[in-house]
Structure formats: structure tokens, C-alpha cells
Amino acid sequence: MKLYILLAYLFLMVPKTSKTIEDFRWEKRLLIMNFEVPVLDSLLENSKEKIVDRKLLLVEFSKNEFIQTSGTDEIDSDGFLKVLSQPSSKKEWMLIGLDGGEKASGTFDEFSIEKVFSLIDQMPMRILEKKDLGRY
């Protein structure tokens, strides 16, 4: 009995690790944003169903400071920001597919959540998802 209590205590005391981009591979599409002005709250308010339907996790930074995600997992914010901060890069947003590859990126002026949805809907994995759900 004491062994079970000790094991339960140790299990609860193990610190949770932050999820990396790699941890989301084949689980979520990622939209990483680093804009001057936070936009996630308004995106969630207006497009929550579309975001969930597309298995999309939004990760928001503002001026290189982590703000929030649309999910509940703790993330490695430094690792997420790093993909946008590559030398000679002017990327302010990036879409990463289920396979972990970069699918699109751009500046704030080029950003549109509807454009992101359209790009996702053209991806082969998304087309298969829609067929499986009987929507294509």
C-alpha cells in the first residue's frame, strides 16, 4: 500500500514538460503568429468552429513575447518563436502542416484567417479528413 502511495506521489511530482513543435506532428496543424497587436481572441471569437474542425492550434506572440495558444497544452514558446526568427526572415506568421512542414508564411499585411483556412482545405490530408467525414 505504501508503495502505491509513493508511486502516486512521484507521478504527481514529475514536472510537466512543454510540448515542442515536433510533439504536435500528426496531431495538430500549427499557426504561429508574431504580430504587433494581439489577434487571437478575435480569431477565436469569430472562427472557433473552423479552427477546431481543421485541427488547428493557434500560437500567439506579440513583439516576440508569448501571449497564448488556442489549446490547453503548455508549449515550448522559445522553440515556437524560433521558427519565425530565422536570420534574414521577415515572417510574422507561419502555417505548419500535420506532417511538420512549413506550408505558408508571410507578414501581417499578407495575413487572413480565411486564406489560412483555404490553404488548409487544399491540403491532401485535409481532403482525406473531409472525405472521411462525408463533407467532400
Side-chain angles (χ1 to χ4, degrees):
M1 179 66 174
K2 289 182 182 179
L3 179 62
Y4 292 117
I5 293 171
L6 177 63
L7 289 174
Y9 176 75
L10 289 175
F11 179 75
L12 293 173
M13 296 310 296
V14 174
K16 293 182 181 176
T17 57
S18 300
K19 288 184 112 175
T20 65
I21 290 174
E22 184 64 29
D23 293 329
F24 287 102
R25 185 180 287 217
W26 304 118
E27 181 183 328
K28 296 279 187 188
R29 295 175 179 92
L30 305 172
L31 178 59
I32 307 169
M33 303 169 288
N34 187 20
F35 299 143
E36 294 289 316
V37 187
V39 297
L40 184 56
D41 289 335
S42 65
L43 292 177
L44 289 174
E45 184 178 312
N46 297 320
S47 305
K48 185 157 182 86
E49 282 185 32
K50 291 180 180 180
I51 291 167
V52 170
D53 185 51
R54 287 167 178 79
K55 299 181 184 176
L56 186 60
L57 176 70
L58 283 68
V59 180
E60 181 176 42
F61 295 87
S62 182
K63 301 177 186 175
N64 296 328
E65 292 292 323
F66 174 69
I67 304 295
Q68 63 182 333
T69 73
S70 61
T72 57
D73 292 311
E74 186 176 320
I75 65 160
D76 170 23
S77 58
D78 291 337
F80 277 74
L81 185 59
K82 196 175 195 177
V83 300
L84 290 177
S85 305
Q86 298 168 359
S88 73
S89 171
K90 301 224 185 280
K91 297 175 187 171
E92 293 180 292
W93 65 272
M94 180 186 296
L95 176 62
I96 298 174
L98 288 173
D99 63 359
E102 179 182 334
K103 304 303 179 187
S105 63
T107 64
F108 178 76
D109 292 334
E110 301 165 333
F111 179 77
S112 157
I113 193 66
E114 292 304 323
K115 176 181 170 183
V116 171
F117 292 153
S118 177
L119 288 169
I120 291 171
D121 289 344
Q122 296 171 33
M123 294 177 184
M125 293 291 292
R126 175 65 179 157
I127 292 170
L128 288 174
E129 290 169 0
K130 288 168 57 174
K131 281 183 182 178
D132 288 344
L133 295 171
R135 292 191 215 155
Y136 201 68

